[in-house]
Amino acid sequence: MSWQDTLTEYIAAFIDGLAKSGVREVVISPGSRSTPLAMLLADHPSIREYINIDERSAGFFALGLAKASKRPVAVLCTSGTAAANYYPAVVEANLSRVPLIVLTADRPPELRDVGAPQAIDQLNLYGNHVRWFREMALPEGGDNAKKYVRSQATRAVSIAGGLMPGPVHLNFPLREPLVPRLEPAPYEQSDPLHPIVLKQHLDVSEETINAVADLCMQAKKGLIVCGVIDDKDFSAAVLQLAESLGYPVLADPLSQLRSLSDASDLIMDSYDAILRSEAAKTELAPDVVIHFGGMPVSKPLALFFKRLAKVNHIFVDGNGGWRDPHYLSSEMIYGSETIFCKKLSQFPYPKNQAWINNWKRVNALAKNTIRSHISMSDELDEGKAVSKFCELLPPECAVFIGNSMPIRDMDTFFHANNKNIRLFGNRGANGIDGIVSSAIGVAVHYHPLFLLIGDLSFFHDANGLLAAKQHKINMNIILLNNDGGGIFSHLQQAENGTHFELLFGTPTGLNFKHAAALYGAQYSKVFSWEDLEASMLDAVQNEGINIIEIPTDRNKNLQNHRSLWQNVSQEINQFFQGET
Amino acid sequence: MSWQDTLTEYIAAFIDGLAKSGVREVVISPGSRSTPLAMLLADHPSIREYINIDERSAGFFALGLAKASKRPVAVLCTSGTAAANYYPAVVEANLSRVPLIVLTADRPPELRDVGAPQAIDQLNLYGNHVRWFREMALPEGGDNAKKYVRSQATRAVSIAGGLMPGPVHLNFPLREPLVPRLEPAPYEQSDPLHPIVLKQHLDVSEETINAVADLCMQAKKGLIVCGVIDDKDFSAAVLQLAESLGYPVLADPLSQLRSLSDASDLIMDSYDAILRSEAAKTELAPDVVIHFGGMPVSKPLALFFKRLAKVNHIFVDGNGGWRDPHYLSSEMIYGSETIFCKKLSQFPYPKNQAWINNWKRVNALAKNTIRSHISMSDELDEGKAVSKFCELLPPECAVFIGNSMPIRDMDTFFHANNKNIRLFGNRGANGIDGIVSSAIGVAVHYHPLFLLIGDLSFFHDANGLLAAKQHKINMNIILLNNDGGGIFSHLQQAENGTHFELLFGTPTGLNFKHAAALYGAQYSKVFSWEDLEASMLDAVQNEGINIIEIPTDRNKNLQNHRSLWQNVSQEINQFFQGET
């Protein structure tokens, strides 16, 4: 067998193994050492390839694809620093439990650590941040080699999409010549010899359910908290559980529960504003809390719970992780969240209607106060911008929410509705990096997609827009431009002015009109609420990339946020004074 | 002592330790967890801070500062994916032996691996790619804590700038509140209690020198090869050695030997073109070779040496590394290159004038052929562009050379001269990433600075330009735009057209005029050689960022390179036929 045939059959068997295990998309960055993998991926009939020149953006683009498609997605780059550029996306995929198959080409052993070009130490390149690392064997001929390489593909996909989804890394040492054979077609003969993994969920035992049900029977004031979690079956099951128990559900924007086609009146969406009031923290304190999903964004919620250390906090984690930064958990249950909800719903619980009504009334009061506060302001501040943005969102759309201020503003202003809007974000490591590319990955699968993002985060990953341009992906970017790091104004370092603008404010003075022109995006700058409405309606009609920039002022944003929260607290304090 | 005083004194002692050990520059990316380090770095009277919002660019910017200043440079970022963005620069610093002090802020132990925001596993984040990693203690009061933290600072600088320079990583767990005390001034009291490391070089023993001298006495055809090395003392010493031995010096552009104020006629600058000729490879074969520095860029040179496996190849590495990808070394000498040259020069060697003259004549012939080939072409191709660029460079300037094609074209067209031009490049991992930022770091210390870069590489790190804009750094960018990955046209995959443009050509269609506008750069597009001359003269006069774009065609570039090399080979073959 010729070297080219050996190389081709070995690599093609691997790629076919990925495809047979469910991989449908790959993001490829150009390079030479990766040639056999790149060409044979491009040649595979059931894998779609996306080119992305900046590997950092490529990693996040793949992350977005995987989040949206709920399938493992592969990324491929050549040897050297290219592979190091994947690191931020790998870290995020690890913490947000997203399946990524990272494929890196490498020099063969004899070209390592001897000063050869583009040769870096790629073994365990991502350290503890991947679920699995394999240094692959050099390409070899024969059935045993094919069995080996197919099995590695299956296991890679299985581990990446397994009980605790996340990134895996396979490093391919490759010798020249690197060009594979494309004729006769490498995938014509179907090769049935590959293992398949049939994925299971963690069950929840009757014993566990009975114990939790007993607890809930005795509890008088229960709450359900849903942080970051994205699972349609879970959404239905947790609402059923809430109804059965009579527990209000504090739903983070990324729980998907605030926007279902059939909204439940148990969904609480204004707890972030509510729990800034001392009276509310006392009057609305629960005696049992069931937690699902990643940590909610709300800081007042976290502070509220920290005062409730003696209350039963039941955490359910279907992936068997540990997400409890405030050391609240009295029980940590490793079992499918959906199964847990379904099983726990099947008991007749006594309901505390006063408790439910109290939460509902306070939530409605907070929401009304927010709305009237917003309606009184004519200024282009971030709060009102996000509030209007939420109002204008069309049904059945998707929103990718940037980190730092956008996710916090969505927490305040994205109220429960029936529009069935899907929300995405990167809440594993909460970085402002890679957001544009992650959103573009989601936009491949969801249309229309809106990205709500701040100026520093947009700048950080503006390179990501090249892929949207090249692959003709439609997306709408709402760019909240306060010229710098707005979140820092909320912190203590803003009070003493020394070095503040230099180190934290960091105004860039960039005119993003030029970035839009670079990537062939439609661009509009919004100076009034009517402009925003017109631009958003326009954007949904336009193909390609639409950028709607909203210029705001950091100091005004801060003042308006503070006065909003004061208003809400006042109203709530008055409400509870009236009650007693 | 208050917590703020404890925090301040601990962190200030660390930073003062860095300063006392020689750190003068730090590149800071904004963040909250890093507040005490950022504020106290900004407050230190002898450390200059640069803000860089994109941590990937920040890492490379620091790398450029360190290359130019020949001092360890610190970088600081907050916790989370921010730190992962440094990875490409860390990898490059490791392989190109550049001292970087990477400082990352982290959550304290109790907020790790529990789902807290922006908390990733930062321990050993850069794996084998750093010389030293320390997880720092939590800030504490008292003299012992200060002694500890100062000692860590000194050791970090000492290891980063030590015998094998490279990156080090210190991770700081920090608890809230994070704002340090700035009044009274934290650095007013001088604290003499810090250790200092007095750096030494590796000596070369008389025994070793005598053995090598014996070898050189017996050799009839000796060569010196200087790859990537940047040391003024070495430049003088190796020329003295070449004169003493009568050996031609094959000098890579990044050896700094092609452009000294007093050029030596032993410097060979056209071996890359010469060694494509079969006749030259036979006629110019040495019987001993002394190698200095990192691997030269020339592939023909590498192939030439691979045929000379039985010849004595003496490698000298002052840092005690191993840079010999072709397994040539008969002796690997770990000792200062400068001391080696000085000591070895002090013997009277017999000289083979015919050998020297042959090299000189062939080198002159190659250079003349290159020049006349270039002068005959009117087209805007990359070779001629780089040739003209080299001609137009003013004396005493600096050039940062991009990877992929620019470094190869400089190898062909940057001929020996007396202009005392300093050349820089990232030849550790040879990535196309981070080049813009590395060049900006160099531009802080060298003026005028020219960056020669291809379009994909420029795109990859265009974010780096924000720091140039914000810090008012002057630089001139020669942007060779062939709309894609030009180097791949030289490879085998270009021959079979399938998937080629998709995977390797990767045209972006970007109009870089808009990138220039985004960063407030002067921009001109060059359509003739007269344009280029005018633009370069203009650029040197202008403050700020100047971008001169040269559009070229990938296919024409390939054809012109090939015909150039054929011409040179023909001339050289004829020359040797005439000789025999």
Side-chain angles (χ1 to χ4, degrees):
Chain A
M1 196 155 67
S2 74
W3 163 250
Q4 197 184 37
D5 283 337
T6 301
L7 175 70
T8 303
E9 292 189 13
Y10 181 89
I11 299 294
F14 175 78
I15 290 166
D16 202 45
L18 292 182
K20 293 245 163 66
S21 305
V23 173
R24 290 289 169 270
E25 297 177 308
V26 62
V27 184
I28 301 177
S29 298
S32 170
R33 188 62 50 170
S34 49
T35 294
L37 285 151
M39 290 180 77
L40 289 165
L41 278 161
D43 223 58
H44 198 285
S46 60
I47 293 179
R48 170 144 190 209
E49 66 282 349
Y50 297 89
I51 303 301
N52 205 313
I53 285 165
D54 182 339
E55 295 83 3
R56 181 173 67 177
S57 299
F60 281 105
F61 181 55
L63 182 90
L65 289 172
K67 281 191 180 201
S69 68
K70 298 195 166 285
R71 281 175 178 274
V73 171
V75 282
L76 170 68
C77 71
T78 193
S79 68
T81 46
N85 277 279
Y86 285 154
Y87 210 5
V90 166
V91 168
E92 175 61 27
N94 173 20
L95 293 174
S96 57
R97 307 181 179 179
V98 174
L100 274 193
I101 319 278
V102 180
L103 309 175
T104 55
D106 197 358
R107 313 270 142 169
E110 66 275 13
L111 289 181
R112 296 176 181 176
D113 198 18
V114 289
Q118 273 181 271
I120 75 168
D121 183 358
Q122 297 182 188
L123 274 67
N124 294 299
L125 187 65
Y126 310 111
N128 297 332
H129 302 270
V130 289
R131 301 271 173 280
W132 199 57
F133 165 72
R134 286 291 104 178
E135 163 75 355
M136 297 295 288
L138 284 159
E140 278 181 67
D143 276 355
N144 280 343
K146 272 204 232 178
K147 276 185 193 162
Y148 155 75
V149 81
R150 277 188 175 279
S151 153
Q152 299 296 302
T154 305
R155 290 176 66 190
V157 179
S158 156
I159 294 168
L163 210 52
M164 173 60 91
V168 299
H169 174 207
L170 295 100
N171 190 52
F172 283 83
L174 293 165
R175 288 202 182 109
E176 296 179 7
L178 298 162
V179 178
R181 186 201 76 215
L182 299 183
E183 295 289 338
Y187 298 108
E188 280 217 326
Q189 287 173 300
S190 176
D191 187 344
L193 291 169
H194 59 272
I196 283 214
V197 174
L198 302 173
K199 203 181 143 183
Q200 315 296 330
H201 292 291
L202 279 177
D203 197 6
V204 186
S205 73
E206 293 309 312
E207 202 182 346
T208 296
I209 289 295
N210 289 337
V212 177
D214 279 353
L215 207 72
C216 294
M217 296 286 182
Q218 289 154 31
K220 296 200 171 58
K221 300 171 175 182
L223 283 180
I224 292 173
V225 177
C226 290
V228 186
I229 189 165
D230 180 7
D231 180 334
K232 282 228 176 291
D233 292 339
F234 168 74
S235 296
V238 76
L239 290 184
Q240 185 194 347
L241 178 64
E243 292 292 342
S244 166
L245 288 167
Y247 288 5
V249 181
L250 311 193
D252 186 80
L254 294 172
S255 69
Q256 309 299 340
L257 296 174
R258 291 200 195 171
S259 187
L260 300 166
S261 45
D262 187 15
S264 156
D265 65 353
L266 285 171
I267 298 294
M268 301 296 130
D269 50 14
S270 293
Y271 53 87
D272 181 82
I274 293 168
L275 295 171
R276 292 168 197 263
S277 140
E278 276 304 312
K281 282 193 263 194
T282 309
E283 301 289 336
L284 298 176
D287 53 13
V288 64
V289 189
I290 306 177
H291 297 254
F292 299 100
M295 191 187 163
V297 68
S298 171
K299 190 164 185 179
L301 181 65
L303 295 175
F304 174 56
F305 284 145
K306 278 175 97 166
R307 308 204 319 184
L308 298 168
K310 291 185 180 164
V311 160
N312 272 302
H313 287 273
I314 299 157
F315 282 69
V316 185
D317 191 329
N319 308 121
W322 194 278
R323 295 193 289 203
D324 176 18
H326 305 300
Y327 295 84
L328 303 170
S329 54
S330 50
E331 280 91 19
M332 177 68 79
I333 297 171
Y334 285 170
S336 152
E337 293 89 352
T338 304
I339 295 173
F340 174 88
C341 290
K342 283 183 178 167
K343 288 192 172 172
L344 193 62
S345 299
Q346 294 164 352
F347 298 89
Y349 297 95
K351 276 174 207 156
N352 180 348
Q353 206 57 49
W355 166 250
I356 301 171
N357 290 344
N358 241 8
W359 262 101
K360 284 186 184 175
R361 277 146 75 189
V362 173
N363 193 67
L365 179 61
K367 207 147 49 174
N368 287 337
T369 312
I370 292 171
R371 283 188 186 138
S372 73
H373 182 96
I374 285 294
S375 70
M376 285 185 308
S377 152
D378 284 331
E379 278 181 338
L380 280 164
D381 79 86
E382 275 179 11
K384 181 149 178 170
V386 175
S387 169
K388 283 282 167 188
F389 164 74
C390 292
E391 264 179 43
L392 294 167
L393 284 170
E396 310 291 331
C397 73
V399 181
F400 202 102
I401 311 171
N403 282 323
S404 198
M405 285 311 293
I407 183 67
R408 289 176 171 82
D409 280 326
M410 285 295 278
D411 198 17
T412 305
F413 299 108
F414 187 72
H415 298 144
N417 61 68
N418 289 326
K419 292 198 273 186
N420 200 28
I421 294 169
R422 292 289 303 276
L423 302 182
F424 294 88
N426 283 349
R427 297 301 290 176
N430 302 3
I432 63 160
D433 49 343
I435 298 292
V436 173
S437 294
S438 303
I440 296 170
V442 172
V444 168
H445 294 276
Y446 284 90
H447 183 72
L449 178 113
F450 294 86
L451 167 63
L452 183 72
I453 190 167
D455 54 303
L456 293 190
S457 187
F458 178 80
F459 160 75
H460 211 289
D461 188 31
N463 274 12
L465 292 172
L466 180 58
K469 171 181 174 282
Q470 292 189 305
H471 296 289
K472 300 194 180 5
I473 298 162
N474 301 319
M475 69 183 307
N476 308 300
I477 301 174
I478 313 298
L479 173 55
L480 297 166
N481 186 0
N482 59 32
D483 198 21
I487 200 168
F488 299 116
S489 302
H490 296 253
L491 302 180
Q492 191 202 343
Q493 38 274 57
E495 289 158 27
N496 174 332
T498 318
H499 308 308
F500 183 77
E501 273 300 286
L502 172 75
L503 296 173
F504 303 101
T506 63
T508 66
L510 293 173
N511 184 340
F512 292 110
K513 173 181 80 178
H514 302 300
L518 181 63
Y519 296 107
Q522 298 249 17
Y523 169 85
S524 58
K525 198 168 190 168
V526 163
F527 294 98
S528 73
W529 308 116
E530 294 73 28
D531 284 1
L532 177 61
E533 188 166 357
S535 295
M536 274 187 64
L537 287 173
D538 230 36
V540 179
Q541 316 274 319
N542 290 338
E543 302 268 288
I545 311 165
N546 298 289
I547 299 175
I548 301 169
E549 181 178 341
I550 308 177
T552 71
D553 178 272
R554 276 186 265 134
N555 284 328
K556 281 191 189 157
N557 292 337
L558 177 69
Q559 286 158 18
N560 287 338
H561 275 94
R562 288 201 171 147
S563 67
L564 168 65
W565 292 322
Q566 272 169 9
N567 275 3
V568 174
S569 285
Q570 261 174 11
E571 293 290 326
I572 291 174
N573 289 344
Q574 276 172 16
F575 169 84
F576 283 116
Q577 276 165 13
E579 291 280 292
T580 52
Chain B
M1 197 156 63
S2 74
W3 163 250
Q4 196 183 37
D5 282 337
T6 301
L7 175 71
T8 303
E9 291 188 13
Y10 181 89
I11 299 293
F14 175 78
I15 289 166
D16 202 46
L18 292 182
K20 293 246 164 62
S21 304
V23 172
R24 290 289 168 272
E25 296 176 310
V26 61
V27 184
I28 301 177
S29 298
S32 168
R33 189 61 48 168
S34 49
T35 295
L37 285 151
M39 291 181 76
L40 289 165
L41 278 161
D43 223 58
H44 198 285
S46 61
I47 294 179
R48 172 147 190 205
E49 66 282 349
Y50 296 89
I51 302 303
N52 204 313
I53 285 165
D54 181 339
E55 295 83 4
R56 180 173 67 177
S57 299
F60 281 105
F61 181 56
L63 182 91
L65 289 173
K67 282 192 179 199
S69 68
K70 298 194 164 288
R71 280 176 179 274
V73 170
V75 282
L76 170 69
C77 71
T78 193
S79 68
T81 47
N85 277 280
Y86 284 155
Y87 210 5
V90 166
V91 168
E92 175 62 27
N94 174 20
L95 293 174
S96 57
R97 307 180 179 179
V98 174
L100 275 193
I101 319 278
V102 179
L103 309 175
T104 54
D106 197 357
R107 311 269 141 170
E110 66 275 14
L111 289 180
R112 295 177 181 175
D113 198 18
V114 287
Q118 273 182 271
I120 74 168
D121 183 0
Q122 298 182 185
L123 273 69
N124 292 300
L125 187 65
Y126 310 111
N128 297 330
H129 300 270
V130 289
R131 302 271 172 280
W132 199 57
F133 166 73
R134 287 291 105 179
E135 163 75 356
M136 298 295 289
L138 283 160
E140 279 181 65
D143 276 354
N144 280 343
K146 272 205 229 177
K147 276 186 193 165
Y148 155 75
V149 81
R150 278 187 174 279
S151 154
Q152 299 295 302
T154 306
R155 290 175 67 191
V157 180
S158 156
I159 294 168
L163 211 52
M164 173 61 91
V168 299
H169 175 207
L170 295 100
N171 190 53
F172 283 83
L174 293 164
R175 287 202 182 109
E176 296 179 4
L178 297 161
V179 178
R181 184 202 77 218
L182 298 182
E183 296 289 339
Y187 298 109
E188 279 215 326
Q189 287 173 301
S190 176
D191 186 345
L193 290 169
H194 59 272
I196 283 216
V197 174
L198 303 171
K199 202 181 143 182
Q200 315 295 329
H201 292 291
L202 278 177
D203 197 6
V204 186
S205 73
E206 293 308 311
E207 203 181 345
T208 296
I209 290 295
N210 289 337
V212 177
D214 279 353
L215 206 74
C216 295
M217 295 286 182
Q218 289 153 31
K220 293 199 173 59
K221 298 169 173 182
L223 283 180
I224 292 172
V225 177
C226 290
V228 185
I229 188 165
D230 180 7
D231 180 336
K232 281 229 176 293
D233 293 340
F234 168 74
S235 296
V238 75
L239 290 183
Q240 184 194 348
L241 177 65
E243 291 293 342
S244 167
L245 289 167
Y247 287 4
V249 180
L250 311 193
D252 186 80
L254 294 173
S255 69
Q256 309 298 341
L257 296 173
R258 291 199 194 172
S259 189
L260 301 166
S261 45
D262 187 15
S264 157
D265 64 353
L266 285 171
I267 298 294
M268 301 297 131
D269 50 14
S270 293
Y271 53 87
D272 180 82
I274 293 167
L275 295 171
R276 292 166 197 264
S277 140
E278 275 305 312
K281 282 194 261 194
T282 309
E283 300 289 336
L284 298 176
D287 53 12
V288 65
V289 189
I290 306 176
H291 297 254
F292 300 99
M295 192 187 163
V297 68
S298 171
K299 190 164 187 180
L301 181 66
L303 296 174
F304 175 56
F305 284 145
K306 278 175 100 165
R307 309 204 319 184
L308 298 167
K310 292 186 178 163
V311 160
N312 272 302
H313 288 274
I314 299 157
F315 281 69
V316 185
D317 192 328
N319 308 121
W322 195 278
R323 296 194 288 204
D324 176 18
H326 306 300
Y327 296 83
L328 302 169
S329 54
S330 49
E331 280 92 17
M332 179 67 81
I333 297 171
Y334 285 170
S336 152
E337 293 90 351
T338 304
I339 295 173
F340 174 88
C341 290
K342 282 184 178 166
K343 287 190 172 174
L344 193 64
S345 300
Q346 293 164 353
F347 299 88
Y349 297 96
K351 275 174 205 152
N352 180 346
Q353 205 58 48
W355 166 249
I356 301 171
N357 290 343
N358 240 7
W359 264 100
K360 284 185 183 173
R361 277 145 75 190
V362 173
N363 193 67
L365 179 62
K367 206 146 51 173
N368 287 336
T369 312
I370 292 170
R371 283 186 186 139
S372 73
H373 181 96
I374 286 294
S375 71
M376 284 183 310
S377 151
D378 283 330
E379 279 181 335
L380 280 164
D381 79 86
E382 275 178 12
K384 182 151 178 169
V386 175
S387 170
K388 282 282 168 188
F389 164 73
C390 293
E391 264 179 44
L392 293 167
L393 284 170
E396 311 290 332
C397 74
V399 180
F400 201 103
I401 312 172
N403 282 322
S404 197
M405 286 310 294
I407 183 68
R408 290 176 171 81
D409 280 326
M410 285 295 278
D411 197 18
T412 305
F413 298 108
F414 187 73
H415 297 144
N417 60 67
N418 289 325
K419 292 198 274 187
N420 199 27
I421 294 169
R422 291 289 302 277
L423 301 183
F424 294 88
N426 283 351
R427 296 301 288 174
N430 302 0
I432 62 160
D433 49 342
I435 297 291
V436 173
S437 294
S438 304
I440 296 170
V442 172
V444 168
H445 293 276
Y446 284 91
H447 184 72
L449 177 114
F450 295 86
L451 166 63
L452 183 72
I453 190 166
D455 54 302
L456 292 190
S457 187
F458 178 80
F459 160 75
H460 211 288
D461 188 30
N463 274 12
L465 291 172
L466 179 59
K469 170 181 174 281
Q470 291 189 304
H471 296 289
K472 299 195 178 9
I473 299 162
N474 300 318
M475 70 182 309
N476 307 299
I477 301 174
I478 312 297
L479 172 55
L480 298 165
N481 187 359
N482 59 33
D483 197 21
I487 201 168
F488 300 115
S489 303
H490 296 253
L491 302 180
Q492 192 202 340
Q493 38 273 57
E495 288 158 27
N496 175 331
T498 318
H499 309 309
F500 183 77
E501 273 299 286
L502 173 75
L503 297 173
F504 304 101
T506 62
T508 66
L510 293 172
N511 183 342
F512 292 109
K513 175 181 80 179
H514 301 300
L518 182 61
Y519 296 107
Q522 298 250 15
Y523 169 85
S524 58
K525 198 168 190 169
V526 163
F527 293 98
S528 72
W529 309 116
E530 293 73 27
D531 283 1
L532 177 60
E533 187 166 356
S535 295
M536 275 188 63
L537 287 173
D538 230 37
V540 179
Q541 316 272 319
N542 290 339
E543 302 269 289
I545 311 166
N546 297 289
I547 299 176
I548 301 170
E549 181 178 341
I550 308 177
T552 71
D553 179 272
R554 277 186 265 135
N555 285 326
K556 281 191 190 158
N557 292 336
L558 177 70
Q559 286 158 19
N560 286 338
H561 274 95
R562 287 200 172 147
S563 67
L564 168 66
W565 292 322
Q566 272 168 9
N567 275 4
V568 174
S569 285
Q570 261 173 11
E571 292 290 327
I572 290 173
N573 289 344
Q574 276 173 18
F575 169 83
F576 283 116
Q577 275 163 15
E579 291 280 290
T580 52

